[in-house]
Amino acid sequence: MRNAMHRRASKPSPQAPPKRRAARGEVYLVGAGPGDPDLLTVRAVKLMKRADVALYDSLISPGVLALLPARTERIYVGKQRANHTMRQEAINDLLVEYALAGRRVLRLKGGDPFVFGRGGEEIDTLSARGIRFEVVPGITAALGAAAYAGIPLTHRDHAQSCVFVTGHLKDGSVDLDWPALARPRQTIVVYMGLLSLPTICRKLIQYGLARDTGAAVVQQGTTQTQRVVTGTLGTLPARVAKAKLHAPTLIIVGNVVRLREKLNWFAPDGESAPPA
Ligand SMILES: C[S@@+](CC[C@H](N)C(=O)[O-])C[C@H]1O[C@@H](n2cnc3c(N)ncnc32)[C@H](O)[C@@H]1O
């Protein structure tokens, strides 16, 4: 259950308007990284300490939220697949309202705000209204999850390029540039692709990748509940279905995945440490 201090998103109510400051407020659009609070940047932590109000989404881990000062008002504006607590436009409007009321507003977003994060849309609205803002990059899920899974995204012997794509389109379909993805010596990282995993594997094989190309799914990367399922393009969908993984997950495709056998170093709670 969500902490009782966190209240559902609402507009500042007419009965209790946010306290007015003489100066105009400002917005900090901050990448909170993939989950492990130790992966926050120094700048992110500084701005978290300064914020009057924090708007955060479902990817923000409890460990990150715990770093907010007690005085900071917390507003959940989370978006999960098919369960949008708030529409993007409403979040944009809320940022504007709080800033115009003179508050220092922290907009905490999972990973990096500019990587599949709609951060650009949020600051576009602020810019149009003449509101001061700052953007703080965060460690995007691909980098965090790959590192904690022991899978280097590039490697001179296996992959010289790496692409990040989203496996979830607005209309729920998956329509990727398959010939561009199915290139040799390339690592593919798919965000939001769990439901499309069987299609993704099938299409990559159809467009020329070998069935035995390494592939993995990382669930809740960098956290103490991280789970990693590995296999090949041919075997991964069945293995993942059996493991009953759930979002957030990342798919990593490429022969770099095999390096995990040697490079796995991270042992989340409840898992025995990998062999030295
Ligand atoms: C809307 S995108 C936001 C991406 C975010 N801006 C970033 O840079 O990581 C949400 C997707 O990111 C991925 N994701 C975020 N955090 C993750 C984590 N800790 N482990 C695995 N995947 C994660 C999942 O694919 C999830 O569905």
Side-chain angles (χ1 to χ4, degrees):
M1 191 188 235
R2 198 159 280 119
N3 186 325
M5 285 181 69
H6 305 172
R7 67 176 180 77
R8 285 257 154 195
S10 61
K11 295 188 170 233
S13 87
Q15 291 86 7
K19 275 198 189 121
R20 298 212 167 251
R21 283 174 193 275
R24 273 188 138 193
E26 52 194 7
V27 177
Y28 316 130
L29 179 65
V30 172
D36 181 348
D38 283 356
L39 295 180
L40 283 165
T41 62
V42 174
R43 187 67 185 155
V45 175
K46 273 188 188 161
L47 294 177
M48 286 172 76
K49 300 287 177 212
R50 198 185 286 176
D52 300 315
V53 53
L55 277 64
Y56 66 97
D57 60 34
S58 57
L59 288 174
I60 306 302
S61 68
V64 169
L65 282 179
L67 297 176
L68 287 170
R71 65 169 184 82
T72 305
E73 186 181 348
R74 294 147 166 80
I75 301 179
Y76 176 67
V77 293
K79 281 187 281 177
Q80 278 161 342
R81 217 178 173 282
N83 176 22
H84 285 207
T85 296
M86 268 194 121
R87 288 179 56 236
Q88 185 63 50
E89 297 72 22
I91 297 173
N92 301 350
D93 290 347
L94 205 55
L95 293 173
V96 169
E97 271 183 61
Y98 275 105
L100 290 180
R103 315 282 288 273
R104 285 181 295 241
V105 188
L106 175 75
R107 175 65 175 112
L108 262 186
K109 297 188 77 89
D112 182 274
F114 283 178
V115 179
F116 304 127
R118 304 188 72 175
E121 293 167 50
E122 297 185 9
I123 57 171
D124 197 23
T125 310
L126 300 173
S127 160
R129 300 295 298 270
I131 292 166
R132 276 201 314 195
F133 58 85
E134 173 173 341
V135 184
V136 181
I139 293 184
T140 189
L143 304 186
Y148 278 52
I151 301 174
L153 293 177
T154 65
H155 187 290
R156 279 189 298 176
D157 297 337
H158 304 283
Q160 286 154 330
S161 65
C162 174
V163 289
F164 297 172
V165 295
T166 170
H168 170 60
L169 294 187
K170 265 186 184 171
D171 63 1
S173 68
V174 52
D175 180 22
L176 296 167
D177 182 352
W178 302 110
L181 291 184
R183 288 208 175 118
R185 301 176 69 75
Q186 172 166 270
T187 304
I188 309 161
V189 182
V190 187
Y191 287 68
M192 296 169 277
L194 186 60
L195 292 181
S196 317
L197 179 68
T199 309
I200 290 167
C201 292
R202 185 170 43 78
K203 287 281 193 184
L204 289 175
I205 294 169
Q206 185 186 328
Y207 279 82
L209 288 189
R211 279 183 79 78
D212 68 354
T213 304
V217 173
V218 183
Q219 172 187 295
Q220 291 169 307
T222 81
T223 71
Q224 290 303 327
T225 46
Q226 170 174 298
R227 290 176 69 199
V228 183
V229 175
T230 56
T232 64
L233 284 177
T235 61
L236 191 65
R239 289 189 183 185
V240 167
K242 195 167 169 211
K244 296 191 171 30
L245 296 190
H246 58 79
T249 58
L250 277 181
I251 305 168
I252 305 177
V253 177
N255 284 328
V256 287
V257 168
R258 298 186 199 289
L259 296 168
R260 173 173 155 82
E261 281 168 31
K262 285 188 290 181
L263 306 183
N264 177 24
W265 61 273
F266 176 61
D269 285 348
E271 268 186 27
S272 49

